[in-house]
Amino acid sequence: HIKGYGFDSMKLYTCQFARNGNELIRTNATVLDSFSVSCPLPVWGSKFSAGQRSGYVALLIFNGETEIPFTNNTYEVQDTLACSGNRHINGCSISFDTVWDLAVSSSSTSQVVLRSSSISVFGFGFDEFLTYT
């Protein structure tokens, strides 16, 4: 849940997950009460790399096209651009992990994976600059 003040159940809110200015996914928020909304997490890795090396993703809340100010429990509006990248800020920085779902053998004659066989691993968020073992 995302805590705040003044959420109106008659208005449409969206949650924007963004990194590096060009990686962006939006989901529709659900207003729980005037103090909180809930946002479904996107499958970030289905579109972009995930994991610690890829950096944090910023969470921003919008009412239409207007960004709702983030205060991080202070009396001042915080810079949400600082929420993504290599620095973690509690409350607005999210880290998505790389996950895998399935491994398939290249051997078409047997389900047994031989030493000379290779496997294909399917999942989300793989970083093209990392080596996986």
Side-chain angles (χ1 to χ4, degrees), residues 12-31:
L12 177 64
Y13 297 93
T14 55
C15 300
Q16 179 174 293
F17 301 86
R19 183 177 62 198
N20 300 331
N22 60 345
E23 299 174 340
L24 179 124
I25 300 175
R26 281 189 169 187
T27 62
N28 290 327
T30 301
V31 176

Side-chain angles (χ1 to χ4, degrees), residues 29-90:
T30 301
V31 176
L32 303 174
D33 53 43
S34 64
F35 299 104
S36 60
V37 296
S38 177
C39 296
L41 290 174
V43 183
W44 184 264
S46 68
K47 294 188 177 204
F48 309 111
S49 64
Q52 189 174 16
R53 194 188 83 72
S54 298
Y56 291 98
V57 176
L59 169 63
L60 302 95
I61 310 299
F62 283 82
N63 175 9
E65 292 301 313
T66 304
E67 184 179 349
I68 304 297
F70 172 65
T71 62
N72 203 17
N73 289 319
T74 68
Y75 294 108
E76 298 177 14
V77 174
Q78 306 295 305
D79 178 13
T80 51
L81 293 176
C83 296
S84 68
N86 294 325
R87 191 169 150 233
H88 180 263
I89 297 175
N90 284 333

